């Protein structure tokens, strides 16, 4: 039974990674940049909920919606101010700018909310579930995380494959120039990508801090890096890849915590990543790059 | 023939400027230190400045010369720091000569880090771009994670290693635990000072500049510019990539040994990806591929937050804003045109060319 319980909580953690990884992979697909500040958007989202629900005492739903709006706006603003001027610059320059944005968000949060860890109250109000004669105990947060993530992933897939703006995103990630010639507004498509990615980060932040209720300015850093790993794991730029990569990473992390060692879980997660990349150098679902001479 | 001579001269000239800059900085700083008794903050910054300059120069070899993005440079520093500190603590009483012990621990730390650089270089050869970046990041985190749980003790029968706890070492009564897991290593002798750090930096710069301008360096640069073309003319990509990774890791290890001999208690907290990224920022802002630029950027960017200490909480915020603005302004087309217009070297060159044109 303990295996099942590790598995379920692993899937829950993995779903959060997958939500964050989606933001990484969508931005990478379209803007060809590693958005290192993405992890810190999660932290901003979590602080937004904390302020709305705990400081102002409003209901959790308002907090989550408010946090989604704040993060979405923040994502678009970051893109317009920091990344847009660098669209033609080298990828390293953009990477350093993203690191700068990450420092900026962390230190702004440090100034406003101070460095002490805030205890976050869960936004989920679902009773926990006991199965198999109380042998398997599943927390309400775990159920909510899995359900919400599945809904979001289905909705996102439908959005990208069936609607016009979604297909415009696919077209821009395929070939920016050709997409522009077909009448697609590249700038607004890129903004839309950042908007969706950051909104997903806000949801991930709410779910993450509900399951692991400790909030500090560096809360987003480690999940951000893990989700980045998950995105690469699944093949960066591939949306189904990010979902699979995220869930797999969460499951591996939790199983290794349960059966091998809690402290070694990070090393094991990264070790598995390296082994996978040795055999599939562009991730699980990544496109094979053919080099032309 | 004449033209070729001029080009060679340009590389040498640039190297001479770099050495002159370093030595002048050393002399000025030494004079300041000798004449002022106070300025503790300034003096405390000198060794870290050397450490981060060595890190930046060595990372520049991978990022600037080889053209591969590495996010795990702090991992090599970690290996060097632990190996060096372990050796120094182990043989504190056995080797009476301080300098000899420090030199041996430098060599040991550097070589061990170099071996790890070789090991990490092997999988790296299969990967490109961002996949490579994430693997180096992963390696750095794995190293940090494992070292953080490592217990090493010594007694009459030899070394004992455990990754669980100090009691698992099964030490004899006379044994001592040297590496104490998350607590790290304490009591490392303070063998480093500014002169030592400066000499090590000078050695790093010397090796790096000579490598860049050597046959090997040209081969490496050709791989960076066009891997396939380099392969077709018979350059072994595997070999040169491994060489660069090893040398870079070796010097990161040296920086690590210097670091561990500068602080009283060593733990893994600074060896995360944040430090790797910090060093990468130095290399990119200094101008990718430029050894001199890496050092200047490392010195300015390390000193900047320290100088802004009076501003307390705002200093890292300012640092972040400066970083973003620098990148945006540096990549602005209009600004670059303006920069070229006002550039002095360009002005002199134009005049020289104009005079030549008049003669002929």
């Amino acid at each position: 039974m303990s295996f099942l319980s590790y598995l379920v909580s692993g899937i829950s953690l993995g779903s959060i990674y997958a939500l964050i990884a989606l933001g990484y992979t969508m931005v990478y697909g379209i803007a060809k940049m590693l958005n290192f500040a993405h992890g810190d958007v999660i932290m901003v989202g979590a602080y937004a909920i904390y302020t709305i629900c705990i400081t102002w005492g409003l209901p959790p739903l308002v907090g989550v919606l408010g946090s989604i709006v704040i993060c979405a706006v923040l994502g678009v603003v970051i893109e317009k101010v920091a990344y847009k001027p660098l669209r033609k610059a080298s990828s390293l320059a953009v990477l350093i700018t993203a690191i700068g944005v990450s420092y900026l968000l962390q230190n702004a949060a440090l100034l406003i909310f101070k460095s002490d860890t805030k205890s976050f109250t869960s936004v989920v109000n679902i009773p926990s579930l006991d199965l198999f004669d109380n042998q398997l105990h599943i927390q309400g947060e775990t159920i909510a995380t899995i359900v919400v993530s599945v809904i979001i992933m289905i909705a996102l897939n439908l959005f990208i494959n069936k609607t016009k703006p979604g297909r415009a995103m696919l077209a821009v990630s395929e070939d920016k120039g050709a997409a522009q010639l077909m009448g697609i507004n590249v700038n607004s498509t890129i903004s839309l990508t950042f908007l969706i990615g950051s909104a997903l980060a806000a949801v991930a932040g709410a779910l993450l801090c509900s399951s692991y209720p400790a909030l500090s300015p560096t809360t987003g850093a480690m999940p951000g890096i893990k989700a980045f790993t998950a995105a690469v794991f699944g093949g960066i730029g591939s949306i189904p890849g990010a979902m699979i990569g995220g869930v797999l990473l969460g499951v591996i992390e939790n199983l290794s915590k349960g059966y091998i060692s809690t402290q070694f879980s990070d090393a094991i997660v990264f070790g598995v990543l390296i082994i996978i990349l040795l055999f599939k150098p562009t991730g699980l679902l990544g496109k094979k790059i053919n080099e032309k001479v | 023939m004449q033209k070729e001579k001029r080009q060679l001269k340009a590389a040498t000239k640039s190297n001479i400027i770099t050495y002159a800059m370093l030595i002048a900085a050393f002399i000025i700083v030494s004079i300041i230190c000798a004449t002022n008794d106070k300025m503790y903050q300034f003096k405390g910054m000198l060794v870290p400045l050397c450490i981060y300059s060595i890190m930046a120069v060595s990372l520049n070899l991978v990022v600037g010369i080889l053209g591969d993005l590495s996010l795990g440079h702090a991992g090599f520093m970690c290996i060097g720091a632990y190996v060096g500190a372990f050796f120094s603590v182990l043989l504190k009483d056995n080797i009476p000569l301080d300098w000899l012990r420090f030199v041996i621990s430098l060599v040991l730390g550097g070589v061990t880090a170099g071996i790890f650089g070789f090991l990490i270089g092997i999988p790296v050869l299969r990967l490109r771009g961002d996949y490579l970046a994430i693997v180096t990041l992963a390696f750095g985190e794995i190293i940090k994670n494992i070292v953080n749980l490592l217990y090493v003790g010594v007694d009459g029968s030899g070394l004992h290693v455990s990754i669980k706890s100090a009691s698992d070492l099964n030490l004899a009564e006379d044994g001592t635990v040297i590496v104490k897991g998350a607590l790290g290593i304490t009591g490392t002798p303070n063998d480093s000072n500014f002169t030592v750090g400066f000499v090590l930096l000078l050695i790093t710069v010397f090796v790096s500049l000579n490598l860049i301008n050597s046959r090997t360096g040209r081969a490496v640069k050709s791989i960076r510019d066009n891997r396939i073309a380099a392969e077709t003319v018979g350059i072994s990509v595997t070999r040169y990539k491994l060489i660069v990774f090893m040398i870079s890791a070796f010097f990161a290890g040296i920086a690590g040994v210097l670091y561990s001999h500068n602080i009283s208690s060593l733990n893994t907290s600074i060896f995360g990806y944040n430090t790797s990224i910090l060093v990468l920022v130095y290399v990119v802002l200094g101008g990718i591929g430029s050894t001199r630029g890496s050092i200047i950027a490392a010195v300015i960017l390390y000193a900047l937050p320290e100088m802004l200490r009076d501003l307390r909480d705002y200093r890292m915020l300012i640092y972040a804003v400066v970083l973003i603005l620098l990148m945006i302004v540096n990549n602005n087309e209009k600004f670059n045109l303006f920069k070229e217009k006002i550039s002095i070297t360009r002005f002199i060159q134009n005049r020289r060319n104009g005079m030549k044109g008049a003669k002929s």
Side-chain angles (χ1 to χ4, degrees):
Chain A
M1 253 340 97
S2 64
F3 175 75
L4 259 182
S5 121
Y6 288 136
L7 190 67
V8 171
S9 52
I11 292 173
S12 155
L13 178 66
S15 315
I16 298 173
Y17 287 156
L19 288 180
I20 311 168
L22 280 171
Y24 269 113
T25 219
M26 282 165 73
V27 166
Y28 184 86
I30 256 184
K32 296 283 174 290
M33 64 164 286
L34 295 175
N35 185 8
F36 251 91
H38 194 65
D40 300 294
V41 175
I42 307 166
M43 173 271 300
V44 173
Y47 271 115
I49 297 179
Y50 179 86
T51 313
I52 294 171
C53 297
I54 293 169
T55 317
W56 298 343
L58 293 170
L61 190 66
V62 181
V64 175
L65 288 177
S67 137
I68 290 175
V69 172
I70 290 171
C71 285
V73 172
L74 180 72
V76 175
V77 169
I78 290 173
E79 197 272 325
K80 289 273 180 237
V81 174
Y83 302 153
K84 202 178 163 200
L86 294 168
R87 218 167 269 170
K88 282 180 193 151
S90 72
S91 60
L92 261 182
V94 188
L95 181 76
I96 302 292
T97 315
I99 291 164
V101 173
S102 162
Y103 283 166
L104 183 73
L105 292 180
Q106 279 184 19
N107 288 292
L110 188 68
L111 271 185
I112 301 169
F113 296 100
K114 303 290 172 264
S115 60
D116 56 320
T117 311
K118 306 257 189 298
S119 63
F120 193 90
T121 35
S122 172
V123 292
V124 180
N125 197 9
I126 301 175
S128 57
L129 200 63
D130 287 305
L131 293 174
F132 306 111
D133 302 327
N134 293 336
Q135 284 187 47
L136 180 63
H137 178 80
I138 303 174
Q139 297 233 298
E141 283 81 7
T142 313
I143 302 167
T145 306
I146 296 174
V147 171
V148 168
S149 307
V150 168
I151 292 171
I152 286 179
M153 286 178 203
I154 292 171
L156 189 70
N157 255 333
L158 286 177
F159 172 78
I160 286 175
N161 293 314
K162 303 284 180 204
T163 65
K164 238 181 170 175
R167 274 149 78 177
M169 278 164 61
L170 281 182
V172 173
S173 72
E174 199 76 29
D175 188 331
K176 226 182 256 175
Q180 199 155 20
L181 290 175
M182 295 300 120
I184 293 169
N185 186 339
V186 172
N187 277 337
S188 62
T189 308
I190 292 179
S191 294
L192 180 69
T193 311
F194 272 88
L195 188 139
I196 295 175
S198 306
L200 291 180
V203 177
L207 295 171
L208 182 76
C209 289
S210 297
S211 302
Y212 306 90
L215 182 55
S216 74
T218 50
T219 295
M222 207 50 200
I225 288 292
K226 291 265 179 69
F228 174 38
T229 312
V232 175
F233 199 52
I236 196 156
S238 151
I239 288 173
M243 297 177 186
I244 296 171
V247 173
L248 271 181
L249 200 76
V251 170
I252 294 171
E253 185 179 330
N254 248 16
L255 288 182
S256 54
K257 262 183 193 161
Y259 288 106
I260 304 171
S261 157
T262 328
Q263 294 154 311
F264 271 121
S265 64
D266 283 356
I268 291 166
V269 166
F270 288 121
V272 170
L273 170 89
I274 291 172
I275 292 166
I276 296 267
L277 283 183
L278 280 184
F279 291 103
K280 286 191 72 78
T282 51
L284 291 174
L285 298 181
K287 279 184 222 148
K288 205 174 167 224
I289 313 159
N290 286 317
E291 278 179 273
K292 287 178 194 158
V293 184
Chain B
M1 191 64 205
Q2 192 118 34
K3 204 175 177 193
E4 212 176 4
K5 231 177 183 178
R6 268 192 89 97
Q7 268 174 356
L8 279 176
K9 245 176 151 180
T12 332
K13 216 191 259 174
S14 162
N15 290 355
I16 291 171
I17 294 175
T18 309
Y19 292 126
M21 180 192 87
L22 282 174
I23 292 167
F26 176 70
I27 293 170
I28 294 169
V29 169
S30 302
I31 292 171
I32 294 175
C33 284
T35 47
N36 281 306
D37 286 339
K38 282 174 187 158
M39 299 180 74
Y40 296 115
Q41 194 201 349
F42 177 74
K43 285 178 186 167
M45 251 167 58
L46 293 175
V47 178
L49 279 179
C50 292
I51 293 168
Y52 285 101
S53 298
I54 294 173
M55 288 291 282
V57 170
S58 58
L59 184 64
N60 182 48
L61 286 176
V62 172
V63 177
I65 308 303
L66 185 60
D68 277 338
L69 181 55
S70 165
L71 296 175
H73 210 50
F76 299 125
M77 187 180 169
C78 179
I79 292 171
Y82 268 79
V83 171
F86 176 76
F87 180 79
S88 285
V89 173
L90 187 66
L91 295 182
K92 214 191 298 192
D93 308 320
N94 298 28
I95 301 180
L97 287 169
D98 279 2
W99 64 268
L100 182 68
R101 187 187 59 217
F102 187 58
V103 168
I104 297 174
S105 64
L106 273 174
V107 172
L108 278 178
V111 168
T112 317
I115 292 169
F116 273 86
F118 177 78
L119 292 177
I120 290 166
I122 297 170
V124 154
L125 294 166
R126 274 177 67 81
L127 303 164
R128 307 260 130 75
D130 303 316
Y131 292 96
L132 185 136
I134 193 75
V135 165
T136 50
L137 190 149
F139 263 117
E141 289 299 301
I142 291 175
I143 289 169
K144 183 188 163 190
N145 197 208
I146 291 178
V147 170
N148 201 23
L149 298 168
L150 196 65
Y151 290 88
V152 183
V154 63
D155 62 7
S157 57
L159 290 178
H160 296 251
V161 181
S162 161
I163 48 170
K164 285 205 184 101
S165 67
S167 51
D168 267 20
L169 291 170
N170 297 323
L171 287 176
E173 294 254 319
D174 60 332
T176 47
V177 188
I178 296 176
V179 184
K180 305 180 197 79
L183 290 173
I185 301 176
T186 46
T188 316
N190 188 358
D191 287 333
S192 67
N193 57 44
F194 179 53
T195 315
V196 171
F198 177 77
V199 169
L200 289 173
L201 174 61
L202 214 54
I203 293 171
T204 313
V205 170
F206 178 77
V207 171
S208 164
L209 286 179
N210 278 298
L211 179 75
I212 292 170
N213 296 319
S214 70
R215 187 188 164 89
T216 311
R218 284 190 295 274
V220 172
K221 278 186 272 186
S222 76
I223 295 172
R224 172 192 67 188
D225 294 338
N226 194 330
R227 190 180 58 85
I228 294 169
E231 252 174 347
T232 48
V233 294
I235 290 171
S236 162
V237 173
T238 313
R239 185 171 157 230
Y240 286 109
K241 278 200 169 185
L242 285 178
I243 289 177
V244 174
F245 260 87
M246 277 175 73
I247 294 176
S248 167
F250 174 82
F251 283 110
I254 296 277
V257 178
L258 194 57
Y259 175 82
S260 64
H261 288 76
N262 188 43
I263 51 167
S264 52
S265 94
L266 176 73
N267 60 54
T268 53
S269 59
I270 82 136
F271 299 119
Y273 64 88
N274 275 324
T275 305
S276 302
I277 284 175
L278 202 69
V279 178
L280 181 70
V281 169
Y282 300 156
V283 172
V284 175
L285 277 185
I288 296 168
S290 158
T291 303
R292 198 189 326 157
S294 299
I295 300 171
I296 296 174
V299 169
I300 293 176
L301 288 180
Y302 184 82
L304 184 69
E306 304 286 323
M307 295 292 173
L308 294 174
R309 210 166 264 276
D310 293 339
L311 296 168
R312 286 199 188 92
D313 297 342
Y314 289 94
R315 68 194 177 109
M316 282 312 284
L317 202 67
I318 294 171
Y319 181 80
V321 173
V322 167
L323 201 60
I324 297 170
L325 284 180
L326 265 177
M327 287 330 279
I328 292 178
V329 170
N330 230 350
N331 284 288
N332 190 318
E333 275 173 33
K334 280 179 195 158
F335 175 77
N336 280 340
L337 280 178
F338 176 69
K339 208 164 71 177
E340 235 164 66
K341 247 185 213 165
I342 59 162
S343 153
I344 300 171
T345 41
R346 176 81 182 231
F347 177 72
I348 297 169
Q349 227 167 32
N350 277 347
R351 274 193 63 165
R352 219 183 256 169
N353 288 346
M355 273 159 74
K356 249 192 214 160
K359 263 184 198 167
S360 65

